Amino acid sequence: MAVLPVNQPHFIRSNQKDEYYLGSLRSCASDVFQIFAGARRWLEWRKEVELLVELAYFSLTTFAGFQTLGEEYVNIVQVDSSGRRVPSRGRRAALIVLHTCVPYLLDRGLVRLELHLQTASEGFRPQDTRWLPARSRFSQRLQSAVSRLSDQQRKALLQAIYLLRQVVSFLHRLHLGIFYLNGSYYHIAKRFTSISYKFLAGSPSPQLPLYTVFGRTTALDSDALRPPLLLGVHHGMVQHKSRMSSLPGDVPAPTTNLLATLRLG
């Protein structure tokens, strides 16, 4: 079976398909959790429930050595830096941790630190703010450390948190722009683990020059038109043209020509 390089359309369609199924799994898990624990508990543990869903999905697919549903949809497989071998189990585990756990821990840690700083700056005691998360010894130690800071130090930390969020957002846009320029890694976690893809069946779609424009605008302009949004409009055009109904969140077939459809519109 021929092994060929994968270009941007296949990466995007694969990711869209995975996000569609992950969204369905998150919705089902949330419904089940609310039935047994209630809506209030769900609001408190919503991020953790979504994390467990993602871990279960990628553990049963990527870690077990199988394709995800998105990868299977476009017939691509993961390969290591050599481009000839399937990534080792350790590398696949590192990919899952970087892709799911690290963003969760970073977001959760910043949110918790920010809440403690704002609460201390406003002069409220933590026991008077029940929305403030304090479920662990780490949170209690963090709360104690924040209480010993001066107002000036708290304001400086709040500014640092804001700056860190902006830097992370910029790096994400920059990485996405690099992807649309050379089409190597769609996710930052795959770049760190050097996991790429190979196409196993047929011939990949020709490289579209429009993605070069996307790469430049995405990396430099935060308000630029995002490719997923354009693909969503393109999907609607294809549905109208074929006069066929499809499931919400479905993605166009790999043979669809994006530029030709846009010209027709």
Side-chain angles (χ1 to χ4, degrees), residues 193-238:
T193 55
S194 299
I195 293 179
S196 57
Y197 286 100
K198 290 296 182 180
F199 193 79
L200 288 182
S203 300
S205 302
Q207 189 77 5
L208 301 180
L210 186 61
Y211 285 93
T212 302
V213 180
F214 285 159
R216 293 170 182 172
T217 56
T218 303
L220 299 178
D221 186 3
S222 60
D223 297 323
L225 181 64
R226 296 294 189 266
L229 176 61
L230 184 56
L231 287 175
V233 176
H234 161 60
H235 183 206
M237 292 179 180
V238 174

Side-chain angles (χ1 to χ4, degrees), residues 68-115:
T68 66
L69 295 175
E71 294 166 359
E72 184 179 2
Y73 178 74
V74 296
N75 238 338
I76 58 178
V77 293
Q78 295 181 0
V79 293
D80 60 11
S81 56
S82 68
R84 298 180 179 180
R85 296 188 299 269
V86 175
S88 63
R89 185 176 292 269
R91 183 170 295 193
R92 297 199 302 267
L95 171 64
I96 295 173
V97 171
L98 289 174
H99 185 63
T100 59
C101 298
V102 171
Y104 163 80
L105 293 174
L106 179 62
D107 177 71
R108 203 64 167 175
L110 290 179
V111 168
R112 183 165 298 187
L113 177 59
E114 191 174 22
L115 287 176

